[in-house]
């Protein structure tokens, strides 16, 4: 916590519990870390990383309810939720499916207080930003420290070889993002990536262990 700016907190559907959410909120508050709701599909067995093919109204309700659950706990701890970042398959479905994106825009925009939305900084980020703006939403473009990219700017499937970067690869990718504004894809090509925020997955042990070094890289620029 002392080395991050934002914490994406699972809302008890794909992972987490009220106790874990409250503990994480308290840690974030103690270290001045911004918090965001991290809603996912109702798939605890698959950790929310399998598409559920829900209808639009189901996605709206799924996301809305998870935001509310986290917000109620946050309010009780004197914390404000600042943003929403969908998790796993819901996040990737949002990128590839306009109906899923629209449902998520609607769910987030219906919240009584303004919330930003995190979306991956793909080559389509400006069109996604324009879509979100029509719904009254601010977009934070996100890059990934610990995941391999393909040539079209998406993340390589976790089933693919080398999809999750080891610590040295991760640090090299962060350095390249910071100094060149690009990543090297799985095919060895350079891809421009302009991002507002950088993700390290909490279930990637090497990534978490490298967060202090990532902070040092960012602080030196």
């Amino acid at each position: 916590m002392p080395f991050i700016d934002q914490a994406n907190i699972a809302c008890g559907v794909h992972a987490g519990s009220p106790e874990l959410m409250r503990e994480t909120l308290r840690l974030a508050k103690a270290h001045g870390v911004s918090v965001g709701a991290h809603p996912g599909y109702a798939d605890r067995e698959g950790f929310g990383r399998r598409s559920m093919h829900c209808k639009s109204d189901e996605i709206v309700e799924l996301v809305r309810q998870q935001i509310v659950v986290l917000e109620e706990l946050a309010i009780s701890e004197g914390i404000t939720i600042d943003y929403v970042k969908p998790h796993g398959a819901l996040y990737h479905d949002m990128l590839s499916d306009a109906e899923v994106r629209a449902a998520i825009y609607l769910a987030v925009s219906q919240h009584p207080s303004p919330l930003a939305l995190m979306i991956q900084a793909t080559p389509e980020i400006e069109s996604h930003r324009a879509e979100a703006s029509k719904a009254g939403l601010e977009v934070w473009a996100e890059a990934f420290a610990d995941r391999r990219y393909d040539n079209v700017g998406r993340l390589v499937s976790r089933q693919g070889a080398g999809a999750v970067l080891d610590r040295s690869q991760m640090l090299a990718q962060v350095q390249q993002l910071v100094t060149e504004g690009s990543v090297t894809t799985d095919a060895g090509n350079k891809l421009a990536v302009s991002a507002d925020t950088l993700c390290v997955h909490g279930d990637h042990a090497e990534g978490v262990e490298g967060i202090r070094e990532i902070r040092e890289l960012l602080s030196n620029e």
Side-chain angles (χ1 to χ4, degrees):
M1 272 300 174
F3 306 105
I4 65 174
D5 300 306
Q6 298 153 334
N8 309 322
I9 303 179
C11 305
V13 174
H14 73 272
S17 66
E19 294 79 15
L20 185 57
M21 283 186 273
R22 190 178 296 279
E23 178 184 353
T24 308
L25 286 164
R26 288 173 175 171
L27 278 171
K29 183 178 181 180
H31 294 283
V33 172
S34 170
V35 297
H38 198 36
Y41 286 124
D43 175 31
R44 291 184 79 89
E45 182 180 347
F47 195 57
R49 288 182 173 150
R50 300 180 295 192
S51 290
M52 303 295 285
H53 306 294
C54 298
K55 296 178 181 178
S56 292
D57 57 349
E58 293 173 327
I59 292 174
V60 172
E61 192 63 18
L62 181 75
V63 172
R64 190 192 67 78
Q65 287 185 359
Q66 291 181 67
I67 295 171
V68 169
V69 166
L70 183 66
E71 183 181 54
E72 287 178 351
L73 288 171
I75 289 172
S76 71
E77 297 295 335
I79 299 172
T80 299
I81 296 175
D82 298 319
Y83 65 94
V84 176
K85 178 193 169 179
H87 165 78
L90 183 59
Y91 183 88
H92 294 295
D93 289 348
M94 172 179 68
L95 292 173
S96 61
D97 189 321
E99 289 188 11
V100 175
R101 277 199 308 282
I104 292 172
Y105 295 154
L106 181 58
V108 177
S109 67
Q110 286 180 340
H111 195 70
S113 57
L115 296 172
L117 178 66
M118 279 191 188
I119 299 181
Q120 187 181 338
T122 67
E124 294 82 34
I125 184 61
E126 290 309 318
S127 65
H128 294 164
R129 199 187 298 276
E131 288 175 349
S133 179
K134 290 180 181 179
L137 297 176
E138 178 185 4
V139 160
W140 294 349
E142 179 179 45
F144 288 80
D146 55 358
R147 292 293 306 280
R148 181 70 67 201
Y149 285 74
D150 63 20
N151 279 342
V152 297
R154 301 291 176 85
L155 302 184
V156 173
S157 168
R158 286 179 175 271
Q159 283 68 53
V164 180
L165 306 184
D166 63 29
R167 187 167 176 170
S168 62
Q169 292 171 327
M170 177 186 70
L171 293 173
Q173 180 153 288
V174 172
Q175 184 67 60
Q176 184 176 337
L177 279 164
V178 170
T179 58
E180 301 180 24
S182 70
V183 296
T184 300
T185 70
D186 58 343
N189 299 314
K190 284 193 176 181
L191 177 77
V193 177
S194 178
D196 305 308
T197 185
L198 184 66
C199 175
V200 178
H201 286 87
D203 63 333
H204 179 205
E206 285 194 71
V208 173
E209 291 168 2
I211 285 174
R212 184 194 296 260
E213 291 167 278
I214 289 175
R215 169 56 67 194
E216 292 175 357
L217 285 174
L218 297 176
S219 298
N220 290 333
E221 294 299 324

